[in-house]
């Protein structure tokens, strides 16, 4: 399999930014505490002290009762308040996020009632408003979290580069299938364990080790080219499984940032993981298909130049992330 397309994809990853997972969704939760009275949690990602110019719009007749001062915590702008709505409540009325159409960010909306009913949906720049239906739907939760999983993995440059490096090291089909399967099983285990509260791991060290895992594969690739295949070439499934456990904690951190509907945590968790797997398979399919097509062009010089360039791009980018994340402790 030629690597021209892999080189191009690595440059694309680099162009997305010097830090992975920058494109994070906002989060809006309304929980009914007493009839017609809702506690509101509004959280949006911030870059330093810069906060996106977004404003939550609740239906007319909903009046703020208590509004806490906004805070910047761990790179997120967080605000909480209480709002009291008229007897009509929220059913059949719109909840909007003004200014969302001017961004590239999505907002995950959770609405929970006293009687256990709930709604989950994703507001987007194209559709920044949601008309609250009378009945809740498990299908809506499944669709929302599946899409959230797909977008997270496709926007998670570090996770894609790890898979990318595995594709470069493992060339034989059966070993590649075993390796990707091991990676999938591993990150599914830790994603579930961390999300359900069975294991607690600080997120910053996890992100640093994820960067280290990419750098490790880049070095293993280089050693293989020099005629000294290492552990990743000999036992790729084992390396994928070990580092997959760490990547699962990274996925769990992303999921914790947007939150889960309390009444349907298992459902949302399962379909978020399904979305991650769909996105991962899409990426692998595109890379392998494009690589096969370019292989038909038979340009051997391109292969050598592209491999060497890709090594430096992946290694340099992962090194930068590692230094950045360690220094952020």
């Amino acid at each position: 399999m030629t690597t021209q397309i892999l080189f191009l994809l690595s440059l694309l990853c680099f162009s997305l930014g010097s830090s992975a997972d920058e494109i994070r969704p906002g989060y809006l939760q309304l929980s009914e505490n007493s009839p017609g009275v809702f506690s509101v949690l509004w959280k949006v990602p911030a870059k330093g002290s810069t906060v996106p110019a977004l404003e939550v719009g609740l239906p007319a007749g909903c009046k703020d009762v208590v509004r806490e001062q906004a805070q910047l915590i761990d790179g997120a702008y967080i605000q909480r308040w209480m709002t009291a709505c008229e007897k009509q409540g929220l059913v059949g009325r719109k909840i909007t996020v003004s200014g969302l159409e001017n961004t590239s960010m999505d907002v995950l909306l959770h609405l929970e009632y006293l009687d256990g009913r709930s709604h989950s949906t994703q507001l987007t720049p194209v559709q920044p408003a949601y008309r609250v239906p009378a009945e809740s739907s498990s299908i809506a939760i499944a669709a929302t979290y599946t899409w959230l999983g797909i977008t997270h993995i496709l926007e998670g440059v570090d996770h894609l580069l790890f898979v990318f490096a595995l594709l470069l090291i493992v060339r034989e089909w059966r070993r590649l299938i075993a390796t990707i399967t091991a990676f999938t099983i591993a990150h599914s285990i830790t994603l579930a364990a961390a999300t359900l509260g069975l294991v607690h791991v600080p997120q910053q060290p996890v992100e640093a080790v994820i960067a280290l895992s990419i750098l490790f594969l880049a070095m293993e690739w280089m050693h293989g080219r020099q005629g000294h295949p290492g552990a990743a070439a000999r036992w790729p499934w084992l390396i994928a499984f070990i580092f997959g456990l760490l990547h699962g904690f990274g996925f769990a951190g992303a999921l914790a940032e947007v939150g889960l509907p309390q009444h349907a945590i298992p459902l949302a968790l399962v379909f978020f993981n399904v979305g991650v797997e769909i996105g991962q398979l899409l990426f692998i399919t595109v890379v392998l298909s494009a690589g096969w097509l370019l292989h038909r062009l038979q340009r051997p010089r391109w292969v050598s130049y592209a491999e060497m360039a890709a090594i430096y791009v992946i290694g340099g980018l992962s090194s930068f992330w590692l230094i950045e994340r360690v220094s952020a402790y």
Side-chain angles (χ1 to χ4, degrees), residues 145 148-150 152-153 159 183-201 203 206 241 243-260 265-277 280:
Y145 278 88
L148 195 63
I150 292 172
H152 173 72
I153 187 66
H159 300 299
F183 181 64
T184 297
I185 292 173
H187 72 63
S188 297
I189 291 172
T190 47
L191 171 60
T195 303
L196 297 176
L198 303 178
V199 180
H200 299 280
V201 179
Q203 194 64 21
V206 167
F241 185 85
F243 285 124
L245 295 173
L246 292 166
H247 282 252
F249 287 123
F251 293 142
L255 189 55
E257 285 188 350
V258 297
L260 289 166
I265 289 178
L267 180 68
L269 173 61
V270 167
F271 280 94
F272 178 81
N273 197 49
V274 167
V276 168
E277 302 315 318
Q280 181 176 283

Side-chain angles (χ1 to χ4, degrees), residues 271-327:
F271 280 94
F272 178 81
N273 197 49
V274 167
V276 168
E277 302 315 318
I278 292 173
Q280 181 176 283
L281 289 174
L282 286 173
F283 176 74
I284 292 171
T285 300
V286 169
V287 170
L288 295 182
S289 298
W292 178 82
L293 289 173
L294 285 181
H295 179 69
R296 302 296 295 272
L297 296 176
Q298 297 181 349
R299 298 291 189 271
R301 288 186 179 180
W302 294 5
V303 175
S304 179
Y305 294 147
E307 284 184 351
M308 188 58 65
I311 288 173
Y312 284 107
V313 170
I314 295 174
L317 194 53
S318 57
S319 297
F320 177 83
W321 287 334
L322 179 59
I323 295 170
E324 181 185 48
R325 294 170 184 182
V326 170
S327 64

Side-chain angles (χ1 to χ4, degrees), residues 62-114:
C62 291
K63 297 181 180 180
D64 293 350
V65 178
V66 178
R67 183 178 285 267
E68 298 180 7
Q69 186 174 0
Q71 296 178 304
L72 280 171
I73 302 175
D74 294 331
Y77 171 85
I78 300 175
Q79 190 170 26
R80 302 175 187 270
W81 69 92
M82 301 289 292
T83 188
C85 299
E86 297 175 346
K87 291 183 179 180
Q88 184 180 350
L90 299 176
V91 174
R93 308 173 78 184
K94 283 187 177 181
I95 298 173
T96 63
V97 176
S98 301
L100 192 62
E101 63 277 6
N102 300 321
T103 71
S104 59
M105 182 173 62
D106 294 342
V107 171
L108 186 63
L109 169 64
H110 286 316
L111 174 60
E112 299 180 354
Y113 289 101
L114 277 174

Side-chain angles (χ1 to χ4, degrees), residues 1-6 171 290-292 294-295 299 302-303:
M1 181 185 67
T2 189
T3 56
Q4 291 94 320
I5 187 64
L6 302 179
R171 303 300 181 95
W292 178 82
L294 285 181
H295 179 69
R299 298 291 189 271
W302 294 5
V303 175

Side-chain angles (χ1 to χ4, degrees), residues 5 15 34 41-43 66 78 99 130 159 185 204 208 222-223 242 249 258 275 326:
I5 187 64
S15 69
S34 58
L41 169 61
W42 172 232
K43 180 169 67 173
V66 178
I78 300 175
Y130 175 66
H159 300 299
I185 292 173
Q204 284 185 324
M222 177 67 80
H223 292 157
I242 293 172
F249 287 123
V258 297
V326 170

